[in-house]
Structures are given as structure tokens and as C-alpha cells.
Amino acid sequence: RDRDRCPRPCWNYSARCCPASRWTSPLRDPDDIPVVAAAIAAAVKLIVTGDADLLADTPVRAWLTGHGIEVVTAVEILRRIGP
């Protein structure tokens, strides 16, 4: 079942949005579900956000990083790009 393979909060949003994955940590802020679900579905490498909850949600960020999706601020991206 899609519900069993997707991040727990994701299946509440839309089971179709997630590829099969093993996510055992729910999101701290339910408003972040569409963002994380879209990032997983689109297989992005980076989520650029100013959302304090997503940036502070260490278990979710660790899971995303382990699956090749980094969560960073716009300031961090500008630092990486340089002047």
C-alpha cells in the first residue's frame, strides 16, 4: 500500500505524491507536508526555505539528507554561489 511506503504525514496529504520510501519520523509542522512531498516526488537535490520549522526539524532534515535532498536557507545558497 502507498500509505505504508510513504512518509507518514505525506500519505495524509496525497499517497500519489511519494515514491516508495522508508520514513519513520513524522514532520514537526504539517504545513511542510506539501513541500517535502513535492521534493521527494520530484527527486530534487535541494530545498531552499526560510521556514523555521523545516529548518529546525533535525530528524526530517537528516532523513532527507540521507536520501540526497539538502534543506538550506537562501542565505546559504547565496554564500555558496559567491559574489
Side-chain angles (χ1 to χ4, degrees):
R1 294 183 320 168
D2 286 338
R3 175 178 164 168
D4 296 330
R5 293 187 308 249
C6 291
R8 283 187 198 142
C10 178
W11 64 258
N12 287 329
Y13 180 69
S14 170
R16 293 173 292 141
C17 70
C18 300
S21 61
R22 292 183 179 96
W23 188 342
T24 59
S25 178
L27 287 167
R28 189 166 101 165
D29 179 3
D31 290 340
D32 293 335
I33 294 168
V35 174
V36 172
I40 293 167
V44 302
K45 301 281 184 205
L46 198 63
I47 297 174
V48 180
T49 184
D51 183 271
D53 280 316
L54 186 54
L55 290 165
D57 198 337
T58 306
V60 170
R61 286 183 69 187
W63 187 91
L64 288 169
T65 299
H67 287 80
I69 302 173
E70 190 177 0
V71 180
V72 298
T73 65
V75 171
E76 176 60 26
I77 289 301
L78 292 174
R79 279 192 198 125
R80 291 181 190 185
I81 294 170

